[in-house]
Every structure is written in structure tokens, then in C-alpha cells.
């Protein structure tokens, strides 16, 4: 064979380089080929951008191919400024932004520091690396009774932002009302405001400037008494009033036209005068928590006052998930199941224990005969009211698959669980395949998390078994 010329030799070496076996993903002979590394740089950059900053940086050790990807990939940055070392944390944030050559896709800032130094963070938010920011989260805890202002620089992302979450714990943050309502947010899909002072005109001005908004959560805010929703894209709505604020507290929610709305979740009101009117929401699937602190709840021709049915409604068959936050009153719950005959998952969370006989004979309801598959009862104590309430579902739910009990006690030992089985007559259950699970959860919060309300990838926001939230995600 003749001598291989230099260009041909280089070509053969390149071919051998590309034909070498790919690294195995699981290590050793049992792992499969590393197909991820075969993806284009753009796709790998998008994958890195979805990782937390620390994990994204670690991808540099995978191979020489990955090293430059991290340096130019969009950054997913979580930052905490806390305690007396706040200046050092701010310096670290600046250092990360300056060292990274790529843009910042997501920036989550947790602030446990003196508000007087917040101007420092405001200057960071104006950094060129944040010019095209798509997701911003501000978690601010400050326990001094003074109103503070949301950084004006937040509004500079109005043309690029897709997710905007602002949380205030302790007091309230004032939204920049003077200019916010004149901004247009063409790409904003998720908006969460908690502990914010925002005027009614500003709020509705912002909403009118969000043409593709899919998720809206308004919790513990002040400054507006009335919320009016008319949106062709909104799929999830979470609402709550504020505690002990006499001026500008939410009193009425009107959902006039929301053809894509799938879930409405009013977290249990702090006051007793909230009115909710749903005029047009034909795809409504998830509803709750309904509470007797909601003075009036209207859905089409259905009218409840303090959870008592006061009209002869047409049935709503789209609702599959229903959550009630009230006394364990069987009469009230049966009326809800009559109005929503296709409910498959029922969550009962009594916030106050009452004394109800709850004695009903066998009864036939479409919901119980054909649809109800899961019941979860929180704050279960095993008293007579609770037992009779649960027995009704045990004896009448013909397609029930599971029943879950969250007991307010330190433990659910075998002896106590066996005693509950006898009380509830589980051996006489109408659905032979139903399972019953007792879980001790003493003192923890059972409310649906704000993050679950806004996360449209979660089909059931009340399902605690899917929860991976920690810390601020509970809010």
C-alpha cells in the first residue's frame, strides 16, 4: 500500500475520532451510550440553562466538549442575600454575572437583609447580562412596619419576561404604580404577586397588557377591592385576601370570560366577605378551597352562600377535582357533589372542628356510583363527627380506589390505625378494592402551595404526594 499523504492521514484520524465508542452513561459495561453528547450545542446549552447555576457549572467536568458550553449557555441563577454578610453575597452575585459570558435566562433572588441596602441590588438588576431576562423571582422578608418599594428596574424586562414572581413576607412591597400599567408584557405567561400593595387600576392595567398570560396568583395583597378577569388564555387562577387590612382588601372576584380556565383556587380567605362570581369558564376542572368564609360563590346559575346552596342550579360536569375547607358537615358536602356530579378527587380540610351527627343511610348519587375515586381528609381526629362523615363515603362510594387521612397527631401507630378501621367499618366498604392510608402530619401546613397553583405541569395541585417544595416554595 502506498504512503498516505498528510491531508488523507488527517482525514482518516478525524474519521477514527468520530467513530470511537461513545462514553457510557451509567459507567461500566452495563450503561447505555451517551446519546446526550450527540445533540447540537444549542440544545445542550438549553439543557444547561434549565439547571441550577452550580449544577450547570459542574457540566464542565464531563468532557472537553462540554467546557465551553457552560461558559456561553444562558444562566439559571439562584442567589441569597442574608444576615450581616449581605455585602459579601452581593459581591458574589456581581462576580458570577461578570464571569459568565452568556446571558441570564432565570434569576431568583432571596433577600433577608436590610432594605436600606436594596439600592445595591437594584443596580445589579440593571446589569447588561440581565437585559433579556426571561424569569425573575424576588423573595423578600423584612419585618419592619414600613412599606417598601418593588425595584423599578423590574419593569425594564417587560418585553422579554415570561415568568414574574414577587413574594413579600412580613409586610408589603409597593408596586411601581406610576408606570407599570402603561407597560406591555407580550411574553408573560406566569405572574405571582404575594404581599404586594398594588392599586386596582395598576393591576388591571398590567393584566390587560399580558395577551398570553396562562397563570395568575394573587395572594395576601392589598390596594384593590375588585378583581375582574376576562382572558382568552388564562388557565390557572389563585386568589386570596389579606388579613386585618381595612383599606384596599379584596372583596369581589368576577370571572367574566375565561374560555381556557381549568383551575380556580381561592386559598382560604382571612375575612368573611369575599364574593366570587364565575360567569363563563366552560373548561373548569379544578376548584377549591371553597370555604364558608366565602360569603357568596356563584358559578353560572349555581349560588352558594356560606357554602349553603340557595338556588336550583344546572349541573357542572367539567369539575373533576374539588377541595372544601370547612366543617365536616355531610349535608353541605352532599349538595356540592350533587352540583358537581363528575368529581373524581375530593379533598376535605376542616379548619375548625364542629359537632355534627353526619348520620346518613345508604344513598345513590351519580358522583358516588360512577366517578369518585379518591377522598383525602385532613385534620382527622377520629371523633364521632369525623367517623360518621367518613363512614358515609366508605359505605356509598362504589368506585372508590383510595382514601387518605392526614391525622393531627405525632404518630399513627398500628394500634390506633386498627381502632380507626373498626370505627369506620372498612370491612363493609362499597368498593372492595379501595385502600385506606393513615398519615401523621402534626402541625405542618396542609394548604395548597402557591408554586403548585402556578405550575401547569401538575395536573392536581392538591396532591401532596407530588410535592417536592422546600422553604419559600410553600408560600
Amino acid at each position: 500500500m502506498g504512503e498516505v499523504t498528510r491531508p488523507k492521514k488527517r482525514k482518516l484520524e478525524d474519521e477514527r475520532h468520530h467513530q470511537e465508542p461513545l462514553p457510557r452513561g451509567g459507567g461500566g459495561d452495563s450503561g447505555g451510550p451517551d446519546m446526550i453528547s450527540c445533540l447540537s450545542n444549542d440544545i445542550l446549552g438549553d439543557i444547561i440553562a434549565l439547571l441550577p447555576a452550580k449544577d450547570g457549572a459542574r457540566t464542565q467536568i464531563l468532557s472537553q466538549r462540554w467546557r465551553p458550553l457552560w461558559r456561553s449557555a444562558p444562566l439559571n441563577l439562584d442567589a441569597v442575600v442574608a444576615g450581616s454578610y449581605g455585602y459579601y453575597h452581593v459581591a458574589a452575585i456581581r462576580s458570577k454575572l461578570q464571569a459568565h459570558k452568556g446571558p441570564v435566562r432565570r434569576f431568583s433572588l432571596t433577600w433577608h437583609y436590610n432594605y436600606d441596602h436594596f439600592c445595591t441590588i437594584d443596580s445589579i438588576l440593571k446589569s447588561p447580562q440581565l437585559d433579556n431576562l426571561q424569569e425573575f423571582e424576588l423573595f423578600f422578608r423584612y419585618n419592619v412596619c414600613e412599606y417598601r418599594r418593588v425595584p423599578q428596574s423590574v419593569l425594564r424586562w417587560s418585553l422579554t419576561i415570561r415568568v414574574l414572581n414577587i413574594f413579600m413576607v412580613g409586610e408589603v412591597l409597593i408596586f411601581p404604580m406610576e408606570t407599570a400599567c402603561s407597560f406591555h408584557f407580550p411574553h408573560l405567561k406566569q405572574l405571582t404577586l404575594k404581599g404586594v400593595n398594588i392599586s386596582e387600576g395598576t393591576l388591571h392595567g398590567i393584566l390587560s397588557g399580558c395577551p398570553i398570560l396562562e397563570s395568575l396568583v394573587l395572594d395576601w395583597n392589598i390596594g384593590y377591592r375588585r378583581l375582574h378577569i376576562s382572558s382568552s388564555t388564562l388557565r390557572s387562577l389563585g386568589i386570596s385576601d389579606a388579613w386585618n387590612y381595612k383599606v384596599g382588601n379584596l372583596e369581589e372576584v368576577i370571572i367574566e370570560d375565561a374560555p381556557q380556565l381549568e383551575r380556580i383556587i381561592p386559598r382560604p380567605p382571612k375575612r368573611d366577605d369575599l364574593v366570587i362570581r364565575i360567569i363563563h369558564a366552560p373548561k373548569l376542572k379544578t376548584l377549591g378551597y371553597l370555604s364558608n368564609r366565602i360569603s357568596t360563590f356563584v358559578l353560572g346559575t349555581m349560588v352558594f352562600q356560606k357554602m349553603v346552596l340557595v338556588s336550583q342550579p344546572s349541573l357542572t360536569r367539567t369539575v373533576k377535582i374539588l377541595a372544601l375547607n370547612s366543617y365536616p358537615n355531610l349535608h353541605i358536602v352532599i349538595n356540592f357533589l350533587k352540583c358537581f356530579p363528575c368529581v373524581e378527587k375530593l379533598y376535605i380540610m376542616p379548619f375548625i372542628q364542629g359537632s355534627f351527627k353526619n348520620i346518613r343511610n345508604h344513598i345513590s348519587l351519580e358522583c358516588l356510583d360512577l366517578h369518585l375515586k379518591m377522598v383525602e381528609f385532613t385534620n382527622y381526629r377520629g371523633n364521632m363527627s369525623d367517623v360518621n362523615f367518613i363512614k358515609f363515603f366508605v359505605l356509598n362510594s362504589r368506585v372508590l380506589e383510595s382514601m387518605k387521612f392526614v391525622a393531627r397527631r405525632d404518630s399513627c401507630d398500628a394500634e390506633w390505625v386498627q381502632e380507626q378501621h373498626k370505627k369506620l367499618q372498612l370491612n363493609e366498604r362499597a368498593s372492595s378494592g379501595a385502600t385506606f392510608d393513615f398519615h401523621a402530619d402534626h402541625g405542618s401546613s396542609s394548604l395548597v402551595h402557591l408554586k403548585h397553583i402556578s405550575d401547569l405541569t401538575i395536573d392536581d395541585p392538591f396532591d401532596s404526594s407530588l410535592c417536592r417544595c422546600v422553604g419559600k416554595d410553600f408560600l
Side-chain angles (χ1 to χ4, degrees):
M1 179 181 294
E3 182 180 356
V4 179
T5 62
R6 183 174 297 276
K8 289 183 178 181
K9 182 178 181 181
R10 186 176 300 154
K11 182 177 179 181
L12 289 173
E13 289 175 349
D14 291 340
E15 289 177 351
R16 282 198 299 268
H17 173 73
H18 290 293
Q19 291 173 1
E20 288 179 356
L22 293 169
R24 296 187 176 274
D29 295 335
S30 60
D34 177 14
M35 303 302 294
I36 293 181
S37 293
C38 297
L39 300 174
S40 68
N41 288 353
D42 290 340
I43 295 177
L44 292 178
D46 289 339
I47 293 174
I48 294 173
L50 296 174
L51 299 173
K54 290 183 178 180
D55 294 334
R58 289 171 182 159
T59 61
Q60 296 178 93
I61 67 174
L62 295 178
S63 70
Q64 190 173 0
R65 162 95 187 279
W66 284 80
R67 203 164 297 157
L69 295 178
W70 154 249
R71 297 168 186 168
S72 60
L75 186 63
N76 184 5
L77 180 60
D78 290 87
V80 178
V81 179
S84 58
Y85 297 97
Y87 281 123
Y88 296 101
H89 297 157
V90 170
I93 296 172
R94 281 204 177 105
S95 176
K96 287 182 179 179
L97 290 175
Q98 293 172 357
H100 195 79
K101 297 179 180 179
V104 180
R105 184 188 68 87
R106 173 183 169 273
F107 183 30
S108 178
L109 171 62
T110 300
W111 181 272
H112 298 281
Y113 194 46
N114 193 326
Y115 179 86
D116 295 334
H117 299 109
F118 201 81
C119 58
T120 306
I121 285 296
D122 199 31
S123 66
I124 290 178
L125 298 184
K126 296 176 182 178
S127 172
Q129 286 88 350
L130 301 177
D131 283 349
N132 297 307
L133 193 68
Q134 296 182 23
E135 299 182 24
F136 178 66
E137 176 183 85
L138 172 63
F139 176 76
F140 184 30
R141 184 184 296 274
Y142 189 64
N143 295 318
V144 176
C145 297
E146 298 179 25
Y147 286 174
R148 304 299 182 178
R149 187 172 294 274
V150 173
Q152 184 78 22
S153 53
V154 169
L155 295 177
R156 79 184 186 93
W157 303 313
S158 61
L159 296 180
T160 61
I161 200 75
R162 299 174 185 272
V163 176
L164 178 59
N165 300 325
I166 297 177
F167 303 88
M168 172 66 180
V169 177
E171 286 301 318
V172 294
L173 281 173
I174 300 175
F175 206 84
M177 305 176 187
E178 298 83 2
T179 57
C181 59
S182 63
F183 277 72
H184 185 59
F185 299 84
H187 301 293
L188 189 63
K189 290 188 175 183
Q190 177 183 320
L191 175 62
T192 298
L193 299 177
K194 176 183 174 65
V196 172
N197 183 351
I198 181 170
S199 71
E200 191 168 306
T202 301
L203 176 60
H204 288 114
I206 290 175
L207 296 181
S208 66
C210 301
I212 63 171
L213 189 66
E214 295 183 353
S215 172
L216 175 63
V217 178
L218 302 171
D219 188 66
W220 205 287
N221 301 318
I222 63 172
Y224 55 91
R225 296 183 180 275
R226 187 169 175 265
L227 175 64
H228 186 275
I229 299 292
S230 183
S231 170
S232 61
T233 60
L234 192 66
R235 296 174 54 196
S236 178
L237 174 64
I239 52 174
S240 174
D241 58 4
W243 175 256
N244 204 26
Y245 281 98
K246 296 181 179 180
V247 179
N249 196 17
L250 182 62
E251 296 178 358
E252 184 177 23
V253 178
I254 299 176
I255 302 172
E256 181 176 351
D257 185 27
Q260 302 300 321
L261 191 62
E262 300 171 10
R263 62 176 69 152
I264 301 173
I265 303 180
R267 300 228 293 180
K270 316 303 182 298
R271 298 157 61 95
D272 298 323
D273 55 358
L274 183 61
V275 175
I276 300 177
R277 304 181 188 276
I278 306 172
I279 299 173
H280 183 66
K283 292 187 177 182
L284 186 61
K285 176 184 175 182
T286 302
L287 178 61
Y289 293 103
L290 298 184
S291 165
N292 56 14
R293 287 186 173 178
I294 300 176
S295 62
T296 303
F297 175 80
V298 179
L299 176 58
T301 61
M302 184 188 311
V303 181
F304 282 88
Q305 292 182 347
K306 298 287 185 179
M307 298 193 76
V308 177
L309 185 64
V310 297
S311 69
Q312 294 296 326
S314 56
L315 305 182
T316 300
R317 310 188 71 87
T318 58
V319 174
K320 307 296 183 183
I321 302 172
L322 178 64
L324 304 177
N325 177 229
S326 183
Y327 307 103
N329 187 325
L330 193 55
H331 174 73
I332 287 178
V333 175
I334 288 176
N335 280 336
F336 273 102
L337 296 183
K338 288 179 179 178
C339 295
F340 303 104
C342 296
V343 167
E344 298 177 0
K345 302 177 77 173
L346 176 64
Y347 293 87
I348 305 293
M349 193 182 77
F351 63 88
I352 298 177
Q353 291 294 319
S355 180
F356 302 94
K357 291 184 179 180
N358 287 332
I359 297 177
R360 285 291 186 99
N361 296 324
H362 290 276
I363 186 174
S364 179
L365 291 176
E366 179 184 342
C367 181
L368 300 179
D369 292 340
L370 301 175
H371 303 291
L372 188 63
K373 298 178 181 179
M374 194 282 293
V375 177
E376 180 171 304
F377 189 98
T378 303
N379 293 335
Y380 180 78
R381 300 175 187 271
N383 58 28
M384 190 58 65
S385 293
D386 288 358
V387 169
N388 288 338
F389 182 89
I390 296 298
K391 279 171 58 178
F392 171 80
F393 292 95
V394 171
L395 300 176
N396 290 280
S397 302
R398 300 183 180 279
V399 295
L400 188 68
E401 296 177 358
S402 67
M403 184 171 283
K404 304 176 183 179
F405 303 86
V406 181
R408 289 304 187 194
R409 51 188 290 122
D410 294 326
S411 66
C412 294
D413 55 54
E415 183 179 351
W416 184 82
V417 171
Q418 186 176 9
E419 178 185 356
Q420 302 311 308
H421 276 240
K422 293 179 181 179
K423 286 183 178 181
L424 298 171
Q425 298 179 238
L426 299 187
N427 292 332
E428 301 178 25
R429 55 186 179 268
S431 175
S432 59
T435 61
F436 300 87
D437 177 45
F438 291 84
H439 175 61
D441 192 11
H442 182 72
S444 67
S445 173
S446 301
L447 291 180
V448 60
H449 299 166
L450 294 186
K451 183 177 180 180
H452 291 191
I453 298 175
S454 58
D455 189 351
L456 294 172
T457 65
I458 298 178
D459 185 62
D460 180 4
F462 301 102
D463 188 349
S464 58
S465 67
L466 303 176
C467 182
R468 300 295 183 269
C469 295
V470 293
K472 62 188 179 184
D473 293 334
F474 279 95
L475 297 176

